[in-house]
Amino acid sequence: MSLRIVVTVKYVPDATGDRHFADDLTVDRDDVDGLLSELDEYAVEQALQIADDADDAEITVLTVGPEDAKDALRKALSMGADKAIHVEDDDLHGTDAIGTSLVLAKAIEKAGYDLVISGMASTDGTAGIVPALLAERLGVPQVTLLSEVSVEDGVVKGRRDGDTASEQLEASLPAVVSVTDQSGEARYPSFKGIMAAKKKPVESWDLEDLEIEADEVGLEGAWTKVDSATQRPARTAGTIVKDEGEGGKQLAEFLAGQKFI
């Protein structure tokens, strides 16, 4: 029987762009380019490596987001994933991590799975809680923050590296795992992979397909919201201390005035 791997990926604003909030205090995604979250590329890479070692495996990449989120799916497909699912619905605007985990869990159950692989966090929200929320909603074990992962005889195994020690962890399938940016460099899509991705299937689902009510997601259903935001002040030229014998004293006074010392 084929090993069914689902990789959750996110379309995020480019960190090098001019990111800001919209009027409703959600991230304005219209005025900045987006891309596949770099941390999710590691999840795709680990799925591909597991599939290479398996007798038979199928990799589905799954994202929740606006129309442009298909670009993230195409990147993952060009890396080598087999097919993709895009959950898109206007009522999803403003959905937080709790709501996102609900949508992902429903989509994963509908798609069918043995192993779910996620990045350790998204590069925009950086909360890192969705893998654990997914495992809870799916009712399966979670093995998170892995630097190394493998699957053998219905068991997923991995190494979690801490500051002072490493742990060897395992769980029976089905399970949810997340991988860190230390799990192995993600491959670059080849020209052949990019061309092949154009022919791979991408299914589109909405909330009705997943039997989710609109008030369970979006801004109205969010457990967490941004109450207020202040524009970052423009960078100033700074303070120049001219050393004419009193430079050290002036520097100390400046640092003390800023409460750095």
Side-chain angles (χ1 to χ4, degrees):
M1 184 176 178
S2 176
L3 175 65
R4 298 167 300 172
I5 304 173
V6 177
V7 184
T8 61
V9 300
K10 189 176 183 182
Y11 181 73
V12 299
D14 189 342
T16 63
D18 182 19
R19 296 171 295 172
H20 56 274
F21 288 115
D23 292 339
D24 61 359
L25 294 180
T26 62
V27 177
D28 188 341
R29 300 178 182 274
D30 293 332
D31 293 338
V32 62
D33 291 334
L35 41 72
L36 170 62
S37 176
E38 181 183 356
L39 292 174
D40 290 341
E41 292 186 18
Y42 295 98
V44 176
E45 176 61 33
Q46 290 308 303
L48 293 170
Q49 292 188 24
I50 291 170
D52 287 342
D53 292 335
D55 293 332
D56 185 16
E58 182 180 62
I59 300 172
T60 302
V61 285
L62 166 66
T63 196
V64 178
E67 173 67 23
D68 290 344
K70 283 188 173 67
D71 291 343
L73 295 176
R74 290 298 179 193
K75 173 71 178 292
L77 290 172
S78 68
M79 291 172 67
D82 299 300
K83 59 181 183 178
I85 298 171
H86 179 203
V87 181
E88 180 187 9
D89 197 299
D90 290 342
D91 288 325
L92 285 168
H93 174 73
T95 302
D96 64 357
I98 304 292
T100 298
S101 70
L102 171 64
V103 178
L104 288 173
K106 290 285 190 179
I108 290 168
E109 288 176 330
K110 182 178 174 68
Y113 72 103
D114 298 300
L115 178 65
V116 179
I117 305 180
S118 300
M120 61 187 290
S122 64
T123 53
D124 56 349
T126 67
I129 60 174
V130 169
L133 292 171
L134 267 181
E136 179 68 19
R137 289 191 183 278
L138 294 170
V140 300
Q142 57 171 302
V143 188
T144 54
L145 301 176
L146 300 182
S147 301
E148 184 180 274
V149 59
S150 63
V151 175
E152 185 177 355
D153 297 328
V155 176
V156 58
K157 301 179 180 180
R159 188 187 76 243
R160 179 190 292 155
D161 295 324
D163 293 335
T164 59
S166 295
E167 301 173 278
Q168 295 293 334
L169 307 170
E170 64 178 55
S172 298
L173 298 180
V176 173
V177 305
S178 68
V179 298
T180 72
D181 53 357
Q182 302 302 309
S183 58
E185 194 69 28
R187 67 193 67 185
Y188 288 102
S190 64
F191 177 74
K192 180 179 179 181
I194 293 172
M195 297 305 294
K198 297 180 179 180
K199 299 180 181 180
K200 293 179 179 178
V202 178
E203 290 191 66
S204 294
W205 295 344
D206 58 18
L207 292 179
E208 184 178 356
D209 292 322
L210 301 178
E211 299 181 351
I212 297 175
E213 299 296 330
D215 59 4
E216 296 180 86
V217 294
L219 273 177
E220 293 304 314
W223 290 47
T224 57
K225 300 178 183 179
V226 177
D227 287 332
S228 62
T230 303
Q231 188 78 15
R232 179 185 295 175
R235 181 174 294 181
T236 61
T239 301
I240 299 176
V241 175
K242 295 183 179 180
D243 188 4
E244 297 177 350
E246 296 289 325
K249 180 180 178 181
Q250 293 180 56
L251 180 58
E253 290 175 348
F254 172 79
L255 293 175
Q258 298 295 318
K259 297 183 179 181
F260 293 141
I261 58 174

